[in-house]
Amino acid sequence: LKTTPARQSLCESMDVLMQSLREMKRSVSGMFVTDKVTAQIVQVFDSTIKTLRTAVSRGGDAETASESATWLKDLSYFAAVAKQGVFADFSPKLAYPRLMAGRSSLTDVLKILWNDRKAVGLVSATIFVPRAGGSMDSIYTEIKLGLPQERTRVIGPFIAPWVTSTPILHHPSKELINVFSYPSDDDREEGDESNSESRTSLWQDAVSRAVALAAATSKGGMLVLATSYTDIKALEARLSPVLKNRLIVQQKGIALAKLKETYEQIHAKGWRPVWLATGSAWRGLDLSEGNKTPPEEDMLLSDLVILRAPWNTNQSLTHAARRAYSNGSAEIAETAFQLRQGIGRLIRRCGLLHRRIWLLDGRLWSPKHARTRALLAVIANYKTAEFTKDSISSMEPKFEARAHSKK
């Protein structure tokens, strides 16, 4: 936008706010801040709010006035709710601050619900999740829901045998574990950003070939669950030349119901759709034909691909509190919960045939990633099969030929 006195004033105000927050980074990053620091943050916000009110009252160009008013509204709201609690962290590269204010726990609110009922039954397929040591229990769910311990009775888990016996779970062989391990910040040496980007690109190449292998040999449609739009965009660039009209790509702003409708239309044409999805597709999405088709003929979704374990996908304030106080165990439990939700998209009823899960995250089998290995408890009862480097290489030409023949 064109530089004006009003815009310059806005930019200077936000720069002061940014610098003031960055000066607190050493003492507050990745944690709930103390009441004293919260008061300091609110003081900084109040100072910025005062400056913005002055800028708004002076008028100026319409764009700057609108942006100043938006900042004024957001900062005023934040300052008002900050007394309930503030969580602060900073981006790893550019140290951009992120602040969340509000309740760090819903226990008191949920207590009202539980106390208002003589008895409550809670039924779900994902109540039990593994802890850091790998054992499965319901403690994490009980904590999330603020259940009164003196009234809680746990029964189960009850898992129908066909849930785990129906599909075959495919995962990288030992020779592929490293290349299928998503490069995390823990793996990157300081100042090694370019190498990290190269490793990420190699990982994207690897998972794209695995998706191609699954798409070439699937009996029906396929759902590919990603944890970010960045991964989806990378796979789209690699797979669209060969999958062509079979490929459905989720984009921000497009309703899940609309994408599901497109998926079903492609399936009706016999093209075996491949859907790159994220977000709410991990939970609640039902891609089965239900009672319209006998289970042994239902091929709406035959293959489920999970690119990597859904670490750090819960960005709520309440989970930030659990993560800050649990020494990592809450994140393991939450990731296991999300992973079980994702796997649950495939097997929706008894009698299904030709079902396959492709769990591509090599970190689950890597000695270097002990935290991720705890998730193996989620898949302990599934039949498994390894895919090798040779199987991916040998299938890729056949995949291209089949894809072009569907044009």
Side-chain angles (χ1 to χ4, degrees):
L1 295 174
K2 183 179 179 181
T3 301
T4 63
R7 169 149 290 276
Q8 182 143 357
S9 176
L10 171 62
C11 292
E12 289 174 354
S13 298
M14 302 314 296
D15 284 343
V16 170
L17 175 62
M18 177 84 77
Q19 186 58 37
S20 299
L21 293 173
R22 279 177 169 164
E23 290 174 357
M24 303 179 186
K25 178 182 177 183
R26 187 182 299 273
S27 59
V28 305
S29 184
M31 60 183 292
F32 274 87
V33 302
T34 63
D35 291 342
K36 181 179 179 180
V37 176
T38 297
Q40 293 174 352
I41 292 175
V42 172
Q43 186 176 10
V44 171
F45 274 43
D46 285 341
S47 176
T48 306
I49 289 168
K50 183 178 180 181
T51 303
L52 290 175
R53 280 179 177 153
T54 302
V56 170
S57 66
R58 290 176 180 171
D61 63 280
E63 293 89 349
T64 301
S66 175
E67 190 172 348
S68 297
T70 299
W71 275 111
L72 181 59
K73 177 183 176 182
D74 291 344
L75 295 179
S76 298
Y77 178 78
F78 183 93
V81 300
K83 295 179 181 179
Q84 298 182 42
V86 176
F87 179 85
D89 63 2
F90 295 78
S91 64
K93 292 184 180 180
L94 300 178
Y96 289 133
R98 180 183 68 152
L99 302 175
M100 295 188 288
R103 289 181 177 271
S104 60
S105 173
L106 297 177
T107 299
D108 291 341
V109 177
L110 291 167
K111 185 182 295 184
I112 298 173
L113 173 63
W114 308 138
N115 290 343
D116 190 48
R117 296 292 182 268
K118 291 183 179 181
V120 180
L122 303 174
V123 182
S124 172
T126 51
I127 287 177
F128 288 77
V129 295
R131 307 184 74 183
S135 60
M136 301 277 284
D137 61 37
S138 61
I139 293 176
Y140 180 67
T141 302
E142 295 172 40
I143 293 173
K144 284 181 71 174
L145 298 178
L147 300 181
Q149 291 186 349
E150 68 278 6
R151 295 178 59 193
T152 302
R153 301 293 182 270
V154 181
I155 305 173
F158 301 110
I159 301 176
W162 47 265
V163 171
T164 55
S165 64
T166 299
I168 296 177
L169 188 145
H170 296 259
H171 64 86
S173 62
K174 189 174 182 180
E175 63 177 342
L176 292 175
I177 286 176
N178 286 337
V179 73
F180 276 87
S181 294
Y182 184 80
S184 62
D185 291 337
D186 296 337
D187 301 326
R188 187 181 69 230
E189 297 181 5
E190 189 172 352
D192 195 23
E193 282 80 8
S194 61
N195 186 49
S196 176
E197 292 177 2
S198 175
R199 291 185 60 226
T200 300
S201 181
L202 290 174
W203 174 82
Q204 291 166 345
D205 289 341
V207 295
S208 295
R209 285 193 290 269
V211 171
L213 170 63
T217 56
S218 68
K219 296 292 186 180
M222 185 163 72
L223 177 66
V224 181
L225 291 177
T227 57
S228 72
Y229 284 101
T230 300
D231 289 347
I232 286 179
K233 187 175 180 179
L235 263 68
E236 178 187 13
R238 290 161 171 80
L239 293 171
S240 59
V242 286
L243 285 174
K244 299 186 182 298
N245 292 337
R246 292 179 62 190
L247 190 63
I248 303 169
V249 180
Q250 181 172 333
Q251 297 177 352
K252 293 180 180 179
I254 301 179
L256 199 69
K258 180 65 177 177
L259 293 169
K260 180 181 178 181
E261 181 181 337
T262 302
Y263 181 96
E264 292 172 340
Q265 290 171 350
I266 294 176
H267 170 73
K269 296 178 181 179
W271 289 355
R272 295 178 296 132
V274 177
W275 182 357
L276 305 182
T278 189
S280 57
W282 281 79
R283 55 196 178 274
L285 178 62
D286 185 357
L287 291 176
S288 69
E289 296 189 278
N291 296 329
K292 296 186 297 183
T293 305
E296 63 274 11
E297 298 177 12
D298 185 351
M299 293 298 153
L300 185 60
L301 178 67
S302 67
D303 287 61
L304 172 73
V305 180
I306 295 177
L307 300 183
R308 52 186 170 115
W311 292 107
N312 302 314
T313 54
N314 186 342
Q315 296 295 309
S316 68
L317 188 60
T318 51
H319 184 62
R322 291 191 293 269
R323 196 168 55 227
Y325 300 139
S326 69
N327 194 29
S329 62
E331 187 58 37
I332 292 174
E334 180 66 23
T335 303
F337 170 79
Q338 300 283 0
L339 181 60
R340 291 197 67 195
Q341 288 275 342
I343 291 175
R345 298 314 94 217
L346 185 62
I347 306 300
R348 310 294 291 179
R349 56 175 172 161
C350 182
L352 297 170
L353 300 176
H354 308 299
R355 262 39 180 189
R356 301 183 300 183
I357 301 170
W358 299 78
L359 187 50
L360 304 185
D361 196 336
R363 294 174 297 179
L364 272 74
W365 294 271
S366 171
K368 296 188 299 183
H369 297 86
R371 184 180 72 154
T372 306
R373 285 176 64 86
L375 301 178
L376 288 174
V378 172
I379 60 172
N381 295 321
Y382 286 87
K383 298 177 293 184
T384 62
E386 295 182 347
F387 61 86
T388 65
K389 182 177 180 180
D390 288 341
S391 68
I392 294 177
S393 300
S394 64
M395 288 302 301
E396 199 167 5
K398 295 180 181 178
F399 165 68
E400 292 183 3
R402 286 183 63 175
H404 284 293
S405 69
K406 284 285 184 179
K407 185 175 179 181

